[in-house]
Amino acid sequence: CDVFAPRHNSITPEQQTEMAKLCGFESMEALVEATVPDAIKRTDGMPLGPKYHEGMTESEFLEHFKAMASKNKVFKSFIGMGYHGTHIPTVIMRNLLENPGWYTQYTPYQAEIAQGRLESLLNFQTMMCDLTGMEMSNASLLDEATAAAEAMTMCSAIARGKKPRFLVSDKCHPQTIEVCKTRASALGLKVEVVDEGSFDMASDVCGVLVQYPATDGSISDYAAMAQKAHDAKIKVCVSTDPLALTKLTPPGEWGADIVIGSAQRFGVPMGYGGPHAAFLSCHAEYKRLLPGRIIGVSRDAQGKPCLRMAMQTREQHIRRDKATSNICTAQALLANIAGMYGVYHGPEGLTKIADRVHGFAGVFAAGMEKLGHTVKNGGAFFDTITVEVGDAKAVSDAAVARGMNIRVMGDSVVSVAMDETTTLADVNNLFAAFSANGKPGFTAEELAPSVSPKLGD
């Protein structure tokens, strides 16, 4: 314990007290009491067992911690909202995720020793350009919600700060909406959350944001809205799902100016909610305002093709407050994993995965109608089905009892999102949770032949 404690607790109690006094408090306890909300304070002393209070060696603590962790119940989640189960190919896990040669270098500044990682990030950029239909993309951002906030900031910068309003569809993921609101409050912008059919294309609006597919799973045609926005000189931002884009019309083809999203479902484990690399794609004319790193193709001193980080002088430690973003170094490893996932599967493999995911969603929707529930997002969906069930809590509790998490969207509405890891057994388990007596009277296998596209293996 004498070795373990100082290794993991970097300061002494005396140093803690000294730091607290510098902040105007007599002790660390007084500082915590004044700053931590009462609602989240523990009052039970954190009972971790008698050995915890007696002191443990590192090996004893690890054994104790594993015993506590083993009590967790790991359920299968169908919540969606930009977070999905995925299979990371073993070759990527072994050679990238678990390889310090890849996971320790967050940004490849030294091009002369980083051509492999630069090529991988260029693959990521190229893949996102192909999927979104945009001219250029960066080599990852922090996550989808903050990427949406970066897109909002870009729209304001394009308007030279003269248009303070930014309109966000109420069909965007809730975390995206909240991050945009928070970022806007610090930038002097005003975020208005409304139905995209009610967007006010006024002269003081710098941009609009829509979700494609929407958070409830519905897929809308935004072409007319995009044209209306462009007529008013307003930029159109689209938050999207790259797997869905293997089947949908790319946003760049129907009028998007900036496209953002998360690369999580391209082989990156959910990891308790993060981290997950995001992307931002746009027209080439906005490249000087594009946040994050950009990998460019160049030539070396001998005239041979090579790769390097382009426009490095935009970064925070060089340009300070004039930088386009202070998260240029975020998520290189996860962008590399997503890029390699695309290489591993190829366009046909990604499309096959998307067909399988959509097929499961179709089977689930057919089952819901057979059980008498109402599918609210109609026939236009990719992986997420929103259902009117009467008593949402009862259905959610039934799902939890069967080891599944679903999304409760209201008193009578739930949604279920399929992903790469979904199986026919999972769908049958969902059918049982959604049926009044736990016995739906049919199976996913029986419904599958009538659903298009057909399910993959």
Side-chain angles (χ1 to χ4, degrees):
C1 188
D2 289 341
V3 175
F4 178 67
R7 181 177 294 168
H8 294 271
N9 302 313
S10 59
I11 60 175
T12 65
E14 292 76 19
Q15 290 170 326
Q16 283 188 1
T17 301
E18 183 181 354
M19 292 169 65
K21 287 183 176 179
L22 188 64
C23 298
F25 297 90
E26 286 300 313
S27 65
M28 183 64 71
E29 290 73 18
L31 172 61
V32 171
E33 187 66 29
T35 55
V36 177
D38 291 336
I40 64 172
K41 289 176 185 172
R42 293 194 68 143
T43 58
D44 57 4
M46 195 177 291
L48 298 177
K51 286 185 68 63
Y52 173 79
H53 298 287
E54 296 169 7
M56 289 180 275
T57 64
E58 185 167 6
S59 58
E60 287 175 335
F61 171 76
L62 289 174
E63 184 179 349
H64 179 64
F65 201 70
K66 287 177 182 177
M68 289 194 299
S70 68
K71 297 179 181 179
N72 288 334
K73 296 179 180 179
V74 181
F75 289 3
K76 192 152 189 177
S77 288
F78 299 86
I79 296 174
M81 293 171 61
Y83 296 92
H84 304 272
T86 183
H87 292 304
I88 176 171
T90 305
V91 66
I92 296 177
M93 180 182 294
R94 183 174 64 249
N95 293 304
L96 268 75
L97 184 58
E98 299 174 351
N99 180 357
W102 282 86
Y103 70 64
T104 58
Q105 296 93 342
Y106 55 86
T107 294
Y109 286 111
Q110 294 177 271
E112 64 274 18
I113 63 170
Q115 288 297 294
R117 284 176 287 124
L118 286 163
E119 182 178 352
S120 179
L121 290 173
L122 182 66
N123 283 341
F124 178 86
Q125 291 178 184
T126 304
M127 177 173 67
M128 293 310 171
C129 286
D130 287 347
L131 290 170
T132 60
M134 304 303 290
E135 295 171 315
M136 67 182 302
S137 180
N138 60 15
S140 88
L141 289 177
L142 191 59
D143 63 1
E144 182 175 358
T146 54
E150 294 287 345
M152 174 183 68
T153 304
M154 280 183 67
C155 290
S156 177
I158 292 169
R160 299 183 181 277
K162 297 179 180 179
K163 298 181 176 183
R165 294 170 64 206
F166 186 76
L167 309 182
V168 178
S169 169
D170 58 5
K171 295 184 181 65
C172 289
H173 294 319
Q175 69 270 21
T176 299
I177 294 173
E178 292 306 314
V179 171
C180 284
K181 285 180 177 178
T182 301
R183 184 75 65 87
S185 65
L187 295 173
L189 298 175
K190 181 181 180 182
V191 167
E192 298 177 18
V193 182
V194 294
D195 183 277
E196 64 268 8
S198 304
F199 278 167
D200 173 22
M201 304 299 186
S203 59
D204 62 345
V205 175
C206 63
V208 300
L209 173 66
V210 294
Q211 190 90 39
Y212 177 73
T215 192
D216 64 359
S218 59
I219 298 172
S220 302
D221 183 354
Y222 294 122
M225 180 278 297
Q227 184 58 55
K228 186 177 179 182
H230 290 156
D231 290 343
K233 299 187 180 339
I234 296 170
K235 302 306 174 186
V236 177
C237 304
V238 180
S239 185
T240 191
D241 171 6
L243 188 64
L245 292 184
T246 64
K247 305 298 296 180
L248 302 178
T249 303
E253 295 183 9
W254 50 254
D257 297 296
I258 302 171
V259 183
I260 63 100
S262 170
Q264 181 269 319
R265 71 187 311 173
F266 275 22
V268 181
M270 278 198 278
Y272 304 101
H276 303 120
F279 61 89
L280 191 155
S281 306
C282 64
H283 296 303
E285 64 183 290
Y286 307 135
K287 62 186 177 185
R288 295 287 173 182
L289 299 173
L290 177 63
R293 74 178 71 75
I294 302 171
I295 309 306
V297 180
S298 185
R299 292 190 179 277
D300 64 15
Q302 285 72 43
K304 297 179 181 179
C306 68
L307 303 172
R308 63 182 178 86
M309 279 188 62
M311 296 187 286
Q312 291 189 48
T313 53
R314 305 173 315 140
E315 297 198 22
Q316 193 79 13
H317 63 286
I318 299 171
R319 297 200 71 194
R320 298 180 183 273
D321 59 322
K322 293 184 180 179
T324 57
S325 172
N326 65 354
I327 56 174
C328 298
T329 56
Q331 313 295 62
L333 170 66
L334 303 177
N336 281 323
I337 289 176
M340 289 297 186
Y341 180 91
V343 172
Y344 181 88
H345 288 290
E348 292 183 1
L350 293 176
T351 302
K352 184 177 180 180
I353 293 170
D355 282 337
R356 187 173 182 275
V357 170
H358 179 53
F360 278 123
V363 170
F364 178 74
M368 292 299 96
E369 292 175 347
K370 200 170 179 66
L371 288 172
H373 300 307
T374 302
V375 176
K376 292 178 67 68
N377 47 345
F381 56 82
F382 171 60
D383 65 353
T384 300
I385 306 298
T386 299
V387 189
E388 182 81 39
V389 294
D391 188 343
K393 185 179 184 304
V395 171
S396 176
D397 289 345
V400 168
R402 293 176 175 274
M404 301 178 294
N405 297 314
I406 62 175
R407 181 183 178 188
V408 176
M409 299 184 69
D411 292 341
S412 61
V413 180
V414 299
S415 75
V416 172
M418 305 298 171
D419 59 44
E420 183 186 5
T421 69
T422 303
T423 64
L424 288 168
D426 291 330
V427 180
N428 285 327
N429 204 15
L430 286 166
F431 286 163
F434 278 76
S435 59
N437 58 3
K439 299 177 181 179
F442 56 87
T443 67
E445 292 86 344
E446 293 169 353
L447 294 180
S450 64
V451 175
S452 181
K454 298 296 187 294
L455 293 177
D457 296 331

